[in-house]
Amino acid sequence: MYGYSGRILHVDLTSRKTWAESKPEEWYKMYIGGVSMAARLCWENIEVGCDPLSSGNPICIGGGIFAGTPVPVGGKHGLASKSPLTDFLGDSLSGSWFSVALKRAGWDGIVVHGASDDWVHVSVDDDHVEFHDASHLLGLGTFETEEAIREELSDDQIRSSTIGKAGENLVRFANVTNDGRQAGRTGHGAVWGSKKLKSLSVRGTHDVGVAHPDELLKLCYDIVQAAQGKHTEKYRVLGTVSNVLNLNRMGLLPTRNFQQGTFEDAELVSGEYLHEHHKVKTIACAQCPIACEQMSRVTDGPYAGAMTGIEYESLFAVSSNCGVGDMKAAIKAIDICDEDGMDAMSTGVTIGWAMETFERGVFTKEDFTCEKYPEGFEANFGNGEALVTMAEMIRDREGIGDLLAEGTKRASAQVDAERGAETYKWAMHIKGLECPGYDARGLKTFALGASVVTRGACHNRTAAYDVDVKGWVDRLSIDESRGKLAKETEEYAAVYDTLPLCKFIRRCFTGKADREGAWPAIAQLINATTGWEFDYDAVDLIGERAHTIKKAFNIREGWTRADDHLPYRWQHETMKEGASAGSVVTEEELEYMKDLYYEAKGWTKEGLIPKGKLVALGMEDVAEEIGA
Amino acid sequence: MSKKVAIELIGLARRHAGQDAVSVSVQEGATWRDVIAAMGQVSPALVGNVVSEDGRTLLGSYVLNLGGTRSIYDLDAEATLEAAARLSLLDVGIC
């Protein structure tokens, strides 16, 4: 078999045993890699119904089909576990040299079972797996931990995935970090922390064999040339933060916990401002010729020295969403999140909820006492120092940070129960995962797409906002096309998340980003790597199968139609200003669109997957367990 | 009879043009495509970067946006220019 080793590594932290599992080639043709392979490994290895922070929840890593090959932006891997935020599947991607090392070590994926009694870090050196005491690493940040392991193992080429203080403290939206990149969102860091796993390191020395190396090199040369040209210039020069002003103009930039869609200080937290005042350089993931991450630094004032890569999603969450127009405070808050392994989106949105709860009088200054501010502080919107301090308190679970570390859904439920409040009305999450930086009231197709995403509120797993913002449909109204569009855009995204390839390469195959422009080229890459004979339809099926295994996992964990919801605010409060003023997604609109979506997917009206549908996808064992 | 149309520039388009907005003159009854072509004539730095070499279309994921609400996708470009509260050139590629 080319492109794969045919082996999955299993590591049991409880017994400290390891073993190799062989997988047949047909299994790889079904699940490929990335989030799809990781989700399938979760399906096969989890104790159904387990607490996400228990030993029954496995850590599943799915390598990339193109990792270690010349294919640009293919140095990525998928990471999946049951999410401590959503209690459904949590799947993330990360671009890093870890993926390449995994492939070169001769493993297509890793499953970590059980839990350790004592803090441990695990190293994989080709076939040799070793368990190391990690007590000396506790309290170190993610980057420091990577450096410490390189030093400890006397190997500057070993690649580590690590957790920081947030993961150690079981912050439910803690990340796993590798090479400065984050496997973010659904709380993988807390899962690792619950197992007392500080780090997983890999060193690989094998070659990566491909079926047709000359053909693959030629294909890749052309794509790399395109990837360094106009198609990706936006990402390279300004990065994703260029979204700030675009979304502000459309009245879609989440502001003050999604109360508004325009921010009066948008220019001060824009990509343009960042580029002019704070950018140091652009950096790239493994195998990436695009380089989109804007490494930015604060050089003066109270946050001098803060430096990290800035993306739109992390930036909106800690700036406009918290009413903060101080870019320096925003960089500092994101730096804390990255260094200590915490999802900046969930951190910012949770802090936004806390700020609104303070402004509405449910929280008072006394709720915000901490070592730094023994008398408490005013946690109002626009207070950059409050933003930074709350990020630190969440990381350390200090004071009210212990509540906020539970995430918006759990924090609001607890406050409402204890204080007789209704903070759920401004708790901005779907399935427990905090919302991304697009106000879905003004993006009706995205509203549907976001409500049905298997991992909760996410812009990456549904590309449905694409058809809204480009004007292919009227973004402020609904029609019968939206179910099919939501299906097509989520499965389009799932193809990239499964290979995995970064979506920013999508125009670089032929100049066209749609299926017709990309799928034939992706089929050529797959075939040159593996020797398979994939075509357009086979590539398209990658996305449908990937989404189906994730959905099947959720169904087995108890998902019902009611779990495909939107935040209360998006359904009950119309936008009051800006270009999306007057917009809201009514209950009737959402339920109608969900009907359309389930029908387009070939599912039942209750959103369950018929047995015949699963069998047609080659997923007979899944059909046996959850088929309707 | 001609009329002036101002287009707000954001992001890379702003960097290429070196200004926050461009103002173009078009004839009564002009289409959105005429506006695109005029943008390239007024600000040649946009040609090849934002506006196609033939001056007829916007490149990549750029769209003209009317009042923040309505994006003028390429299929609509032959429609007659409407009175615009505010016309912006946005880059709406997925991030």
Side-chain angles (χ1 to χ4, degrees):
Chain A
M1 189 161 38
Y2 290 100
Y4 297 97
S5 67
R7 301 188 311 160
I8 304 294
L9 172 64
H10 289 259
V11 177
D12 190 325
L13 294 175
T14 306
S15 65
R16 305 228 164 169
K17 289 181 178 170
T18 65
W19 64 96
E21 177 189 15
S22 295
K23 292 287 191 188
E25 191 164 12
E26 286 308 308
W27 188 87
Y28 290 99
K29 286 182 178 176
M30 291 272 291
Y31 300 106
I32 308 290
V35 298
S36 179
M37 183 192 288
R40 173 68 202 194
L41 290 171
C42 253
W43 170 271
E44 294 176 7
N45 291 282
I46 195 171
E47 290 177 14
V48 178
C50 72
D51 180 337
L53 299 180
S54 73
S55 62
N57 189 18
I59 295 164
C60 299
I61 296 171
I65 188 172
F66 300 129
T69 75
V71 177
V73 302
K76 299 172 85 73
H77 64 274
L79 178 60
S81 292
K82 186 174 178 179
S83 166
L85 269 181
T86 69
D87 289 315
F88 293 127
L89 186 75
D91 59 287
S92 298
L93 281 172
S94 190
S96 79
W97 294 104
F98 180 91
S99 326
V100 178
L102 183 66
K103 178 71 73 72
R104 291 174 63 88
W107 300 107
D108 298 322
I110 300 180
V111 181
V112 180
H113 307 261
S116 177
D117 289 332
D118 303 305
W119 281 96
V120 65
H121 77 92
V122 175
S123 64
V124 178
D125 187 350
D126 289 340
D127 278 359
H128 180 68
V129 181
E130 201 164 332
F131 299 84
H132 310 265
D133 169 48
S135 56
H136 61 294
L137 300 174
L138 294 184
L140 293 185
T142 54
F143 311 139
E144 293 172 316
T145 302
E146 285 187 50
E147 283 303 318
I149 289 172
R150 287 191 184 105
E151 197 165 315
E152 179 183 331
L153 301 181
S154 302
D155 185 349
D156 65 359
Q157 290 303 307
I158 198 159
R159 304 295 180 175
S160 300
S161 287
T162 69
I163 62 170
K165 291 180 197 168
E168 292 173 23
N169 292 329
L170 305 185
V171 174
R172 285 185 186 266
F173 42 85
N175 285 350
V176 172
T177 304
N178 30 251
D179 298 318
R181 302 296 299 177
Q182 312 286 333
R185 306 280 20 228
T186 56
H188 297 289
V191 174
W192 288 42
S194 73
K195 297 179 181 302
K196 290 190 162 56
L197 178 64
K198 178 68 175 172
S199 169
L200 177 60
S201 308
V202 183
R203 178 176 184 269
T205 62
H206 301 296
D207 291 336
V208 176
V210 300
H212 306 296
D214 291 342
E215 183 186 342
L216 187 63
L217 271 176
K218 183 178 182 316
L219 291 168
C220 293
Y221 179 82
D222 293 339
I223 298 167
V224 168
Q225 295 304 305
Q228 293 176 326
K230 292 295 173 193
H231 294 310
T232 58
E233 185 183 22
K234 162 187 167 178
Y235 302 120
R236 193 164 41 251
V237 176
L238 291 178
T240 58
V241 286
S242 65
N243 258 7
V244 170
L245 294 185
N246 286 289
L247 290 171
N248 196 53
R249 178 60 59 233
M250 288 189 274
L252 299 168
L253 179 66
T255 301
R256 295 182 181 83
N257 197 33
F258 292 81
Q259 291 184 87
Q260 301 157 268
T262 56
F263 185 39
E264 67 278 10
D265 287 334
E267 287 279 355
L268 297 177
V269 293
S270 65
E272 289 83 340
Y273 186 93
L274 187 78
H275 185 86
E276 190 173 338
H277 296 278
H278 296 285
K279 180 175 169 180
V280 179
K281 62 187 291 193
T282 53
I283 56 176
C285 296
Q287 294 180 221
C288 177
I290 300 172
C292 71
E293 188 162 19
Q294 310 295 301
M295 183 58 69
S296 304
R297 180 173 57 188
V298 180
T299 56
D300 59 2
Y303 309 124
M307 183 168 77
T308 194
I310 305 295
E311 308 278 3
Y312 167 70
E313 292 291 342
S314 50
L315 181 59
F316 101 87
V318 301
S319 61
S320 62
N321 191 58
C322 293
V324 172
D326 176 0
M327 185 68 95
K328 294 173 185 173
I331 293 172
K332 177 63 179 175
I334 296 168
D335 188 30
I336 291 167
C337 292
D338 290 348
E339 173 64 29
D340 297 314
M342 198 157 65
D343 186 79
M345 294 167 68
S346 284
T347 301
V349 173
T350 302
I351 290 172
W353 169 83
M355 286 178 162
E356 185 168 351
T357 303
F358 174 79
E359 292 208 344
R360 289 176 182 269
V362 180
F363 285 154
T364 64
K365 182 180 174 184
E366 289 68 37
D367 284 310
F368 294 90
T369 57
C370 57
E371 189 177 343
K372 193 167 160 188
Y373 295 101
E375 306 297 317
F377 57 85
E378 305 281 337
N380 49 291
F381 286 119
N383 185 340
E385 173 60 11
L387 163 76
V388 169
T389 303
M390 274 194 269
E392 293 168 337
M393 293 172 74
I394 292 170
R395 172 197 65 196
D396 297 333
R397 280 189 175 268
E398 181 190 8
I400 200 168
D402 190 43
L403 173 75
L404 302 181
E406 292 294 295
T408 312
K409 177 184 175 183
R410 286 174 174 78
S412 66
Q414 185 175 329
V415 168
D416 293 350
E418 291 175 356
R419 307 190 186 197
E422 294 183 318
T423 68
Y424 72 88
K425 290 184 175 176
W426 56 90
M428 301 305 298
H429 69 86
I430 298 172
K431 298 183 177 74
L433 182 64
E434 285 72 22
C435 290
Y438 301 82
D439 197 310
R441 285 172 290 190
L443 298 166
K444 294 289 177 80
T445 320
F446 176 62
L448 169 61
S451 75
V452 299
V453 169
T454 54
R455 76 170 182 174
C458 179
H459 65 293
N460 260 327
R461 297 295 180 265
T462 173
Y465 61 92
D466 198 36
V467 299
D468 289 321
V469 295
K470 284 183 177 158
W472 295 353
V473 296
D474 177 6
R475 67 182 174 88
L476 301 175
S477 67
I478 67 168
D479 58 49
E480 63 184 15
S481 71
R482 306 310 167 94
K484 185 166 179 282
L485 286 171
K487 171 192 185 292
E488 289 175 348
T489 52
E490 75 182 4
E491 291 174 4
Y492 174 89
V495 170
Y496 285 92
D497 295 341
T498 293
L499 296 166
L501 287 175
C502 174
K503 298 181 186 79
F504 295 172
I505 200 83
R506 66 196 180 282
R507 278 185 197 281
C508 302
F509 302 116
T510 63
K512 292 188 174 179
D514 59 10
R515 281 169 161 79
E516 283 68 27
W519 279 193
I522 287 175
Q524 286 183 307
L525 292 173
I526 292 173
N527 297 342
T529 301
T530 62
W532 298 343
E533 294 181 347
F534 270 45
D535 57 13
Y536 179 103
D537 290 336
V539 173
D540 216 34
L541 265 179
I542 291 173
E544 185 172 7
R545 283 205 186 96
H547 188 261
T548 300
I549 189 63
K550 293 190 293 180
K551 175 74 173 189
F553 180 99
N554 284 358
I555 291 171
R556 196 172 62 175
E557 293 292 331
W559 174 94
T560 69
R561 180 179 169 125
D563 289 307
D564 286 350
H565 68 93
L566 290 174
Y568 180 93
R569 169 159 283 157
W570 282 352
Q571 293 204 260
H572 295 89
E573 292 180 25
T574 55
M575 300 188 79
K576 296 179 181 62
E577 57 173 32
S580 298
S583 298
V584 71
V585 185
T586 67
E587 187 76 25
E588 292 73 25
E589 284 180 322
L590 180 61
E591 293 307 314
Y592 170 65
M593 289 196 291
K594 281 163 60 178
D595 285 341
L596 293 171
Y597 167 79
Y598 297 147
E599 184 181 355
K601 296 290 286 191
W603 297 348
T604 71
K605 195 168 175 60
E606 291 309 308
L608 301 175
I609 314 173
K611 276 189 177 174
K613 179 80 180 170
L614 290 162
V615 170
L617 289 170
M619 302 165 78
E620 287 83 358
D621 62 327
V622 178
E624 277 301 307
E625 286 203 56
I626 61 97
Chain B
M1 187 174 166
S2 66
K3 62 179 176 181
K4 287 272 188 188
V5 178
I7 304 115
E8 176 192 32
L9 302 178
I10 288 174
L12 270 188
R14 183 188 288 182
R15 285 178 59 82
H16 284 305
Q19 50 195 346
D20 295 347
V22 292
S23 180
V24 301
S25 293
V26 293
Q27 296 297 314
E28 277 296 335
T31 66
W32 295 108
R33 199 174 301 290
D34 294 329
V35 173
I36 294 168
M39 281 168 48
Q41 288 161 7
V42 168
S43 182
L46 293 177
V47 178
N49 290 307
V50 177
V51 177
S52 64
E53 296 286 351
D54 65 8
R56 291 185 52 78
T57 57
L58 293 173
L59 296 172
S61 48
Y62 288 103
V63 294
L64 279 174
N65 187 280
L66 190 59
T69 306
R70 211 184 116 209
S71 291
I72 309 301
Y73 179 52
D74 196 50
L75 294 174
D76 301 324
E78 301 301 340
T80 304
L81 180 65
E82 300 164 26
R86 183 168 200 161
L87 194 58
S88 304
L89 182 64
L90 303 183
D91 185 348
V92 293
I94 60 175
C95 284

